[in-house]
Amino acid sequence: MEKFSHLYRFSQRDMKKKNITIHDIAKKLDITASTVSRALNNNPRISASTRELVKKTAMDLNYQPNTMASNLRRGKGNTIGLIVPRINRFFFADTISGIESVTTPAGFNLIICQSNESFAKEVENINTLIENRVDGIIISVSGETRTSGHLKKVLQNNIPLLQYDRVIDELDISKVVNDNFEGAYQATTHLIEQGYRKIAHLAGPLQINIYNERYEGFKKALGDHKIPFRNDLVFKGVLTYQFGRDLGQKIFELEERPDAVFSAGDFAALGLMEYLKDSGLRIPNDMAIAGFANEQFTEYTDPGLTTCDQFAYEMGSMAAKLLLDEIGVEEKNRLTKTITIKPKLIIRNSSLRK
Amino acid sequence: MEKFSHLYRFSQRDMKKKNITIHDIAKKLDITASTVSRALNNNPRISASTRELVKKTAMDLNYQPNTMASNLRRGKGNTIGLIVPRINRFFFADTISGIESVTTPAGFNLIICQSNESFAKEVENINTLIENRVDGIIISVSGETRTSGHLKKVLQNNIPLLQYDRVIDELDISKVVNDNFEGAYQATTHLIEQGYRKIAHLAGPLQINIYNERYEGFKKALGDHKIPFRNDLVFKGVLTYQFGRDLGQKIFELEERPDAVFSAGDFAALGLMEYLKDSGLRIPNDMAIAGFANEQFTEYTDPGLTTCDQFAYEMGSMAAKLLLDEIGVEEKNRLTKTITIKPKLIIRNSSLRK
DNA sequence: TTGTAGGCGTTATCAA
DNA sequence: TTGATAACGCCTACAA
């Protein structure tokens, strides 16, 4: 019997565990909740003495403000929603880091969702964020996303929306993007300047803007240097390591091999390079290779892989700053801005003729 | 004048833009808000017909449930807080991905904070999450964290807390960890079995549990194979690429060089390997190298780097599942569980004697 | 099956 | 400078 009563006491205590509210503080100090609220929020219309007293009491009672209540009352939650295709891609992880470095100090929470490159999941994510009444949304769209109805819904709900990296162009909203065209142009030009003339291109899905832009930059660079564009040297697919390896075989067996390859992604470039190395070709002497994204590993491959750095962390922090700016401004006064970040060509030995 | 009045209309409309509530739906259908609430929440105590009607009307009116209100009323926000040292480390990015893959389908939002390896920032993060009344917190502590007062505060607030990877041991709470001891033991044993006898160790800060465990595993493996432990072959520091390079020089110039090195981190292992290669040593013939973490690049270095995979994604998803389990259980009935995941030794050419 | 009523904890407005 | 009051939108006993 003894031990049961003891259990009972415990469960009683658990049930009763109530959070301290501003009313508790008010009661203790014999003032009203409004005063407590004002004191805690550093409202100027309050005497310094009560402010201090309230704060001290709050500490003593181990008071924790209830953000949910405050959110409801003020009609906003100081939260930014973020949707990315995948968190564990280095580029996106880096952008997230940059975003967080801005949002948290500014007093915003960051809710992160990943679409896993699925349009349906992205729509779900959007709905969740709208229901949570986030103060703004930053998105880099999934590989499947072609339409923007779900994004328009965000705007209809009067939530500032900002796109970055992968964007849908039909929307009149701010964005932070990489100058993919310029990056591809530079990389291709670099290959040409190194003396390569028969240059192939591994292209990502051209419906995704970034890959299309890189493709166009590639073509432009050829044209500007009077090198005929050859469609048979463009290979399209999802730019994975395996895709690169498979293409390596195809390219290796070509009657008339290209002397250089510009891949719109580093993983495919790597797969390609490894296959060719395994097949006995020397990089870059027999074939030069350049990638895109400056993935972490590109520095450590043998030879080092020439690629384009996208300043991911900076893209993230700029996107966050831009969004916070928009949140602070009346909708009708918002300007549509596009920040384009110029990528930097990182030249390594995979393309450098000795 | 014409255009001003038109502007005025717009601003009027903006001011008035009110969100649809369950009361609006109720009014339109001439029923009460409670009924609407029940219909929307699939409460069984309601007729199928009204349920459908309500849902249809909600759609028509473009109703968005107000999660903040619902949260306040129910006293919980369906939110999980996550604190990691850095989002843009591949290991953590991967764990986050795993966590998200569990929390979102379960209907929880994920608020992510990074401590940037700073204890002060970690304390701030904790406070924010407590104020937000998150339903649970998952944390991997910063490199500076030695005390657990801030974590105890979480428990005092009756918020389930779970540690993973880097943990503070003085707390009686569940955790998901890597078997660092075992991983290090395996890696070292592998080197010994390959015939190496004079094995050095690059150790991380030993105050951080994971590095200490790896250090102990290393020592144990030596002992079990009757190889004397030599303190002068243990090098401590923060395991960056540069640290590895610098140590490469030091080790290269040693009168009596080790014939193998086990590094508690991949980046330092890489720096070391590059320095030694540049100095003309052949890996693994002149010196074998093994790392820890299975960073993405380890597969692509030349030679490939032997390392330990930690199943980061799985660690994340297990941590999330475990936490959600605890959230569903009364505090007094919660069990303290430790899930230890055995790492997998990935043997590559950096340690494989031909 | 539906309605009534009250409150979650906070803050804004008005009044004193 | 402080107090009284109401409302943010939703959910849930309890009543009908």
Side-chain angles (χ1 to χ4, degrees), chain B residues 51 102 108 114 134 143 165 197 239 254 287 339 353:
Chain B
R51 184 187 356 260
V102 171
F108 287 83
Q114 51 187 343
V134 293
D165 191 46
R197 285 296 172 270
L239 299 175
L254 243 38
M287 201 178 301
I339 296 185
R353 219 156 214 177

Side-chain angles (χ1 to χ4, degrees), chain B residues 21-22 34 37 41 63 66 69 73:
Chain B
T21 74
I22 52 173
S34 351
S37 171
N41 292 306
Y63 166 75
N66 185 325
R73 176 59 233 244

Side-chain angles (χ1 to χ4, degrees), chain A residues 125-140:
Chain A
N125 291 335
I126 286 279
N127 285 329
T128 309
L129 293 178
I130 292 177
E131 289 177 11
N132 276 276
R133 298 289 193 276
V134 294
D135 298 281
I137 295 179
I138 300 178
I139 188 170
S140 189

Side-chain angles (χ1 to χ4, degrees), chain A residues 126 130 147-158 161 170-171:
Chain A
I126 286 279
I130 292 177
T147 57
S148 63
H150 58 314
L151 301 183
K152 290 201 181 104
K153 190 170 165 191
V154 172
L155 300 174
Q156 279 158 21
N157 278 275
N158 209 13
L161 176 65
E170 58 191 89
L171 288 174

Side-chain angles (χ1 to χ4, degrees), chain A residues 21-23 37 41 63 66 69-70 73:
Chain A
T21 73
I22 52 173
H23 290 101
S37 172
N41 291 303
Y63 166 75
N66 185 323
S70 168
R73 178 59 234 234

Side-chain angles (χ1 to χ4, degrees), chain A residues 309-325:
Chain A
D309 186 48
Q310 307 186 82
F311 301 101
Y313 186 91
E314 289 77 8
M315 277 185 81
S317 61
M318 300 201 78
K321 277 181 208 152
L322 197 49
L323 183 72
L324 293 189
D325 281 351

